Amino acid sequence: MRKFSLLDGLVVPLDRANVDTDAIIPKQFLKSIKRSGFGPNAFDEWRYLDHGEPGMDNSKRIPNQGFVLNQPRYQGAQILLARENFGCGSSREHAPWALEDYGFRVIIAPSYADIFFNNCFKNGLLPIKLDADKVDALFKAVAAKDGYKLKVDLEQQTITAPDGTVYQFEVDAFRKHCLLNGLDDIGLTLQHVDEIKAFEVKHKAAQPWLFA
Amino acid sequence: MSAKTLYDKLWDSHVVRQDADGTALIYIDRQLVHEVTSPQAFEGLKLAQRKPWRTASMLAVPDHNVPTTNRAAGIADPISRLQVETLDANCAEYGVVEFKMNDIRQGIVHVIGPEQGATLPGMTVVCGDSHTSTHGAFAALAHGIGTSEVEHVMATQCLVAKKSKAMLVKVDGALGKGVTAKDIALAVIGKIGTAGGTGYAIEFAGSAIRGLSMEGRMTLCNMAIEAGARAGMVACDDTTIEYVKGRPFAPQGENWDKAVAYWKTLHSDAGAKFDATVELAAAQIKPQVTWGTSPEMVTDIDGCVPDPASAPDAVKRGDWERALAYMGLKANTPITEITIDKVFIGSCTNGRIEDMRAAAAVAKGKKVAANVKLAMVVPGSGLVKAQAEQEGLDKILVAAGFEWRDPGCSMCLAMNDDRLEPGERCAATSNRNFEGRQGQGGRTHLVSPAMAAAAAIAGHFVDVSKE
Ligand code: SF4
């Protein structure tokens, strides 16, 4: 997994609540058996006016100029500012794959759907929870200033705004450790092979039908 | 020992190890696998030269990409076909049991698990699919996981997790005529919102829940995820045990008796503490219809499309306005005046035998309205289809003008050829009304099977409780 520690990145505001995973990456792109290449189709139905299918040349499609990601001032954004319950809906990891492939490294929102939140950490993407009023203040600040950037420091768990305001955020210690070091979850779990085996023996004795 | 919730019992019996900060390794008893979220996991396993820890815990089936007509001809779309073939190849390589596309046991992953007895009380069940919450109906701890976690469970038989908070949703009393588990689910989501259950495992309890069949309980737990909860569950009782008995993967003989004795302990103890409690009176729940692009945008059949001017805050007002624009609806329109173009009865929410019966009961002797271009019924599995045909339900439905299809996810998410065209309006028994879910520009209204069938006949929504 890609490491994450520090970022000084351009912010793009996506001002709607309950952005679901179908919106982040529509189902026709889920037919891919790969992990990469989803970026050009992130938010496909909002980003383009024509219907997208896998394998299309996206540079030849008609962009929806009204959609925030297409505005010139937000090109190259690495931080996605969003509203409540971001990433609700399906468990598709294609959603964080698409966001990461697009170039995002950080999402800031008041709340997230559980599965999506979890999936982000497995893909070097840092989802930060901030209080709704702070997120609201950020939306206003981004709108007010072209080229608005935020500094995100995972080690310190801080976001620093251009005016010097520092927002502290919470992050689970284990997830932070994995993200800072780019650690593979499976490798870590396999350090406990003996415990898993011991549990299995006990579990089998108690509920033998599960192993029939 | 202090009183435990059902969730406590299921969690505690699967903790392999736990760190001081609560991060735990949870042992997984059953992993269900489908073609969409598994290829990258199998690939990861291969790249790292790892083997599945316990293939016998896995059961695989293609469901999202399979066609619902003329299956003998195979899958026309080459990309869909490759995904299904990749599943076949991975299962063959690792020795995973798979019900292939033309096997009568094939169906939607959340329908076939319980149908086969592969989902049992007391189990931990995972699948790379958010509606894995369905299996919680069996007093199991079941939740959806991402593809990285699918690979993790394959490789280690465990999941890294932290315990959720526990929510009790209690529904007491008798349901009114024409009111189903689907309406309970939508009413709960309408009440707590699509993020109301985030961070919680929900236990559904109360006399109305105990009165539901296993099919109804599955419908309810299936939609726990639409309330934001990764897991939903119902305590084990005689209804559960009766359903499981004799199914192919269910324990037998001495093991059966032992299992039943254990399963009977799978309920919340009297006095167990929940972090949150929500109560609904069954008698007050009416048939539900969603009007927007999120399952929480729902109202009673005798209600109206709401006016964004009356939204509680600015963010919601914006959401409602966008939803009405997308749905092509005007504020204050009575729900019963909304006409529809298509009807979809099926999915892991409502694709079981009881749902087929409910649709057929409404359709019997009637005809699909002229303005309805397509009314399709898609059984959740080959075995549901066979059972329905044995009961003659297919004939009733076909005589009324419905199409009777082969099993799969179908127009629930439209990864195969079944989809809405831009602007088309659909009464659907599935679980998500998100923008574009059933096809780009498609407009979805979530309802129960009886409500969907009644809408097909009338051409617009009608109140089945008054029929
Ligand atoms: S029926 Fe719909 S919700 Fe259920 S597994 Fe299939 S696509 Fe997902």
Side-chain angles (χ1 to χ4, degrees):
Chain A
M1 188 180 74
R2 209 166 144 194
K3 286 184 192 178
F4 182 95
S5 55
L6 272 172
L7 175 74
D8 186 6
L10 187 69
V11 184
V12 59
L14 183 58
D15 196 0
R16 12 175 128 192
N18 299 312
V19 170
D20 59 77
T21 53
D22 281 73
I24 298 172
I25 184 81
K27 73 270 194 152
Q28 61 270 34
F29 304 104
L30 272 50
K31 294 179 185 181
S32 166
I33 56 172
K34 301 208 186 78
R35 248 175 218 270
S36 56
F38 296 100
N41 301 107
F43 301 109
D44 198 270
E45 290 185 3
W46 292 342
R47 228 162 118 196
Y48 304 97
L49 293 173
D50 55 339
H51 177 74
E53 283 293 331
M56 279 170 98
D57 179 352
N58 292 294
S59 67
K60 300 218 169 76
R61 294 177 57 199
I62 317 159
N64 172 9
Q65 301 298 356
F67 184 54
V68 69
L69 255 65
N70 288 333
Q71 293 175 17
R73 62 185 282 202
Y74 297 123
Q75 296 315 300
Q78 290 178 290
I79 300 176
L80 181 65
L81 185 63
R83 297 282 188 187
E84 286 84 15
N85 200 26
F86 188 81
C88 60
S90 90
S91 65
R92 63 187 70 163
E93 202 157 313
H94 313 67
W97 292 339
L99 295 175
E100 202 259 358
D101 200 53
Y102 178 89
F104 290 120
R105 304 296 325 268
V106 171
I107 310 171
I108 301 173
S111 59
Y112 300 85
D114 285 339
I115 304 179
F116 173 82
F117 187 72
N118 219 16
N119 283 342
C120 285
F121 286 99
K122 319 271 179 199
N123 294 283
L125 201 58
L126 174 64
I128 297 175
K129 286 182 201 165
L130 276 193
D131 293 344
D133 56 336
K134 291 180 183 146
V135 169
D136 214 42
L138 287 174
F139 266 100
K140 294 203 175 85
V142 174
K145 182 173 180 287
D146 260 1
Y148 188 89
K149 286 178 136 189
L150 288 171
K151 283 197 182 70
V152 178
D153 184 334
L154 177 57
E155 183 64 62
Q156 300 300 321
Q157 300 180 208
T158 55
I159 301 173
T160 309
D163 66 2
T165 316
V166 176
Y167 302 93
Q168 199 74 38
F169 63 86
E170 295 294 320
V171 60
D172 178 88
F174 176 73
R175 285 166 162 158
K176 176 177 172 179
H177 175 72
C178 290
L179 210 48
L180 281 173
N181 299 292
L183 291 178
D184 164 17
D185 258 12
I186 298 180
L188 289 173
T189 298
L190 288 175
Q191 292 174 0
H192 305 295
V193 156
D194 294 341
E195 280 167 276
I196 302 172
K197 286 191 173 152
F199 177 89
E200 206 164 40
V201 169
K202 196 180 78 183
H203 198 47
K204 192 169 176 175
Q207 299 182 56
W209 57 89
L210 295 176
F211 295 81
Chain B
M1 207 172 62
S2 60
K4 284 182 166 190
T5 62
L6 169 59
Y7 178 53
D8 291 332
K9 292 180 186 179
L10 294 170
W11 175 269
D12 292 351
S13 60
H14 289 88
V15 175
V16 173
R17 70 187 309 275
Q18 192 155 358
D19 290 335
D21 75 341
T23 305
L25 270 187
I26 295 298
Y27 189 84
I28 301 302
D29 297 314
R30 173 72 65 202
Q31 173 155 224
L32 300 164
V33 176
H34 67 78
E35 80 276 22
V36 181
T37 54
S38 67
Q40 297 88 350
F42 277 113
E43 187 194 49
L45 212 58
K46 212 166 298 179
L47 288 175
Q49 297 185 321
R50 292 180 175 126
K51 290 236 172 317
W53 183 282
R54 192 158 73 84
T55 26
S57 68
M58 295 163 71
L59 177 62
V61 70
D63 53 4
H64 287 62
N65 283 278
V66 300
T68 57
T69 50
N70 192 17
R71 206 165 262 188
I75 305 175
D77 175 359
I79 313 178
S80 285
R81 189 169 63 234
L82 177 64
Q83 200 165 55
V84 172
E85 285 170 357
T86 304
L87 178 68
D88 294 349
N90 282 325
C91 290
E93 179 175 348
Y94 290 104
V96 175
V97 175
E98 182 198 4
F99 298 158
K100 291 196 185 168
M101 187 169 85
N102 290 314
D103 189 314
I104 189 167
R105 298 168 298 176
Q106 180 270 344
I108 305 169
V109 67
H110 309 308
V111 174
I112 69 153
E115 185 173 81
Q116 292 293 325
T119 302
L120 294 173
M123 272 184 166
T124 42
V125 180
V126 295
C127 174
D129 193 285
S130 59
H131 292 100
T132 309
S133 58
T134 310
H135 308 265
F138 290 82
L141 178 56
H143 56 244
I145 56 178
T147 296
S148 295
E149 291 174 316
V150 169
E151 183 184 338
H152 189 279
V153 176
M154 284 178 181
T156 69
Q157 208 60 38
C158 292
L159 191 67
V160 180
K162 266 191 174 171
K163 198 172 173 187
S164 305
K165 290 177 284 183
M167 180 186 284
L168 177 68
V169 172
K170 202 158 172 277
V171 190
D172 278 312
L175 288 172
K177 178 173 168 269
V179 181
T180 67
K182 182 62 164 285
D183 303 299
I184 301 179
L186 288 169
V188 169
I189 296 163
K191 183 163 173 147
I192 69 174
T194 48
T198 304
Y200 290 94
I202 298 181
E203 179 176 346
F204 296 97
S207 59
I209 309 299
R210 283 199 301 278
L212 292 175
S213 64
M214 287 317 292
E215 283 85 352
R217 294 176 190 183
M218 283 188 256
T219 301
L220 191 58
C221 290
N222 174 277
M223 295 212 45
I225 184 68
E226 302 325 319
R230 274 180 94 172
M233 62 195 81
V234 175
C236 182
D237 61 11
D238 291 344
T239 307
T240 323
I241 293 166
E242 267 312 303
Y243 181 97
V244 172
K245 196 171 186 178
R247 296 195 179 256
F249 287 71
Q252 288 167 356
E254 198 190 326
N255 262 346
W256 171 258
D257 299 332
K258 255 176 114 173
V260 168
Y262 171 59
W263 295 345
K264 288 194 165 160
T265 68
L266 296 174
H267 52 76
S268 290
D269 297 329
K273 293 259 177 310
F274 288 86
D275 301 291
T277 301
V278 175
E279 295 190 48
L280 276 84
Q284 274 163 25
I285 301 174
K286 292 182 182 167
Q288 302 284 300
V289 183
T290 65
W291 52 265
T293 51
S294 160
E296 71 183 19
M297 296 176 174
V298 65
T299 188
D300 296 345
I301 176 68
D302 54 10
C304 291
V305 175
D307 189 341
S310 65
D313 57 61
V315 174
K316 276 234 153 46
R317 189 179 320 128
D319 286 347
W320 289 14
E321 280 166 358
R322 255 193 307 270
L324 293 194
Y326 181 86
M327 293 296 288
L329 290 173
K330 286 208 175 58
N332 304 315
T333 306
I335 298 294
T336 50
E337 283 179 16
I338 301 174
T339 58
I340 53 167
D341 305 303
K342 286 185 175 167
V343 175
F344 169 63
I345 298 175
S347 87
C348 59
T349 313
N350 285 122
R352 299 184 180 80
I353 188 67
E354 218 175 59
D355 305 312
M356 305 291 112
R357 287 181 191 139
V362 171
K364 191 165 189 172
K366 309 225 171 72
K367 286 272 179 243
V368 169
N371 62 304
V372 175
K373 290 182 245 176
L374 171 71
M376 62 194 298
V377 184
V378 186
S381 73
L383 291 170
V384 167
K385 186 175 190 221
Q387 168 81 26
E389 288 175 356
Q390 212 183 343
E391 296 178 17
L393 305 179
D394 59 324
K395 296 216 172 55
I396 295 172
L397 289 162
V398 169
F402 288 83
E403 289 194 14
W404 181 245
R405 299 288 188 93
D406 288 329
C409 295
S410 180
M411 210 160 68
C412 172
L413 98 164
M415 260 183 93
N416 66 355
D417 292 334
D418 310 332
R419 68 178 59 132
L420 298 180
E421 298 303 323
E424 280 184 342
R425 189 180 299 289
C426 180
T429 66
S430 44
N431 41 51
R432 288 189 177 139
N433 50 354
F434 300 156
E435 285 186 22
R437 171 78 176 180
Q438 293 194 282
Q440 192 174 20
R443 296 161 171 166
T444 303
H445 295 269
L446 303 175
V447 287
S448 72
M451 285 286 289
I457 304 298
H460 58 86
F461 291 108
V462 288
D463 188 347
V464 287
S465 68
K466 297 212 177 101
E467 292 284 290

